Amino acid sequence: MTNKLDGVAVFVQVIEAGSFTLAAERMHLTRSAIGKVISRLEARLGVRLLHRTTRSHTLTEAGRVYYERCVRALAELDAGAAEVESGLSEPRGRLRVSVPIAFGHQCVAPVLFGLARQHPKLQIDISFSDRSVDLIEENIDLAVRIGELRDNTTLDARRIGTQYMSIGASPSYLAEHGMPVAPDDFADHTGISYSRSGSMARWHMLDDDGVEHALQITRQLSLDDVQAIADAGIAGLGLVYLPCWFLEQHAAAGRLVVVRSRCGVRPQAIHVVWPKSPYLPSKTRCAIDALSTEIPMLRIG
């Protein structure tokens, strides 16, 4: 029995490529082989699909109708394959993930390492960057983002946590300059600021009555990396305004002291995002589930 799909993918590729030569290059075949496939397809169907000249080809009316059907059929096959693959119990294949640098190192990577141990057929590529990558353009399967989500048309998202800010300092700095308590106290202190693209993050805190204050603080150093900010704070160069999950690990080790915990009044949502798709491959779904389950257990908020 003749396979009714024989030649269909080649025919569609010829139309989409615009020439036999380009289609041959894309499919790693010779131009002659492409021509023979199309001829056999026409013979099987009993109609001419293409008007061919030495320089170009155009669809016949029958070819146009058949092409539209073929495109829909191949799309259904792709969707079916994705649906079947999404139901596989064993995640496999290459999973490309983009994560913020500090949060990625401390909170996301350990979860993905666990997935790698659990699923030997899963290949995980992790890119550490604080820029907001274009998932579709850069062929990224999954990303973790902190803060406002701006793209809600091409991406799906799941909230996995909330980030609050805390203020800390080294024991040596506090011994020399004292512990600020009230909002006005911070005017007498030096702070190490986070700055990116010329924009400097402001410091906010609530007083004991729940009133929000924008802190007035002298800024001598501005850095665009939270680890560098922590290092400067540990060196005694000033107060630091850091995510609570990051500050607390240094406080636990005695390198920094928490001056004000969860002082920020504008907590940031943490999401895992991925390109919209009717069916999620099992590799993507298992990573989303793992991050959604394990990240909140890390006391990030």
Side-chain angles (χ1 to χ4, degrees):
M1 180 178 178
T2 302
N3 187 342
K4 293 183 178 181
L5 292 176
D6 281 349
V8 168
V10 172
F11 171 62
V12 170
Q13 186 62 247
V14 166
I15 305 307
E16 293 181 349
S19 73
F20 278 50
T21 301
L22 186 53
E25 291 177 359
R26 290 180 178 179
M27 303 191 77
H28 305 290
L29 297 171
T30 64
R31 190 182 186 283
S32 174
I34 293 287
K36 290 177 181 178
V37 170
I38 298 299
S39 295
R40 287 196 298 268
L41 181 60
E42 290 177 324
R44 189 172 81 239
L45 294 172
V47 296
R48 181 170 292 279
L49 300 173
L50 298 169
H51 294 300
R52 295 192 282 277
T53 68
T54 56
R55 292 180 177 273
S56 64
H57 66 264
T58 57
L59 284 167
T60 65
E61 181 59 27
R64 183 188 61 78
V65 172
Y66 189 64
Y67 168 71
E68 292 174 356
R69 295 280 186 174
C70 288
V71 169
R72 288 198 293 269
L74 291 176
E76 283 296 314
L77 287 172
D78 288 342
E83 185 173 9
V84 170
E85 197 280 329
S86 70
L88 292 175
S89 59
E90 177 64 19
R92 65 190 69 199
R94 188 178 181 189
L95 180 71
R96 301 172 182 86
V97 186
S98 173
V99 298
I101 296 173
F103 188 75
H105 278 291
Q106 182 167 327
C107 300
V108 181
V111 177
L112 298 180
F113 295 162
L115 280 183
R117 285 190 294 268
Q118 186 179 356
H119 304 291
K121 295 181 180 179
L122 185 61
Q123 302 167 332
I124 305 177
D125 293 353
I126 309 175
S127 174
F128 295 87
S129 174
D130 286 334
R131 69 183 180 88
S132 183
V133 301
D134 186 320
L135 274 68
I136 297 173
E137 183 70 24
E138 300 181 43
N139 198 25
I140 301 295
D141 298 301
L142 207 63
V144 173
R145 291 185 174 167
I146 301 175
E148 180 184 358
L149 292 181
R150 295 176 182 152
D151 185 347
N152 58 5
T153 59
T154 61
L155 299 179
D156 279 326
R158 185 185 298 180
R159 186 165 181 161
I160 59 175
T162 303
Q163 174 175 282
Y164 293 87
M165 303 300 290
S166 296
I167 298 174
S170 70
S172 62
Y173 177 88
L174 294 175
E176 181 178 353
H177 298 279
M179 172 77 77
V181 178
D184 290 345
D185 295 344
F186 287 85
D188 299 324
H189 288 265
T190 298
I192 302 162
S193 296
Y194 181 89
S195 177
R196 177 172 288 273
S197 302
S199 177
M200 191 174 298
R202 296 184 177 184
W203 294 23
H204 297 263
M205 67 172 281
L206 298 177
D207 62 22
D208 293 337
D209 295 322
V211 178
E212 176 186 349
H213 295 265
L215 300 181
Q216 303 301 316
I217 195 165
T218 301
R219 291 174 171 84
Q220 183 181 13
L221 284 174
S222 296
L223 306 166
D224 68 354
D225 178 79
V226 293
Q227 182 59 62
I229 291 173
D231 291 342
I234 292 168
L237 295 175
L239 300 173
V240 293
Y241 191 68
L242 291 169
C244 58
W245 53 265
F246 195 70
L247 176 58
E248 286 172 6
Q249 68 163 328
H250 291 291
R255 294 186 291 266
L256 292 171
V257 175
V258 177
V259 173
R260 193 82 177 193
S261 180
R262 293 177 57 143
C263 59
V265 294
R266 296 175 178 84
Q268 294 178 300
I270 304 173
H271 288 91
V272 56
V273 299
W274 62 93
K276 286 182 181 293
S277 174
Y279 307 104
L280 274 180
S282 59
K283 63 180 181 180
T284 307
R285 190 180 65 253
C286 80
I288 294 170
D289 290 343
L291 292 170
S292 300
T293 300
E294 298 184 39
I295 292 294
M297 299 172 63
L298 298 175
R299 200 173 182 270
I300 58 174

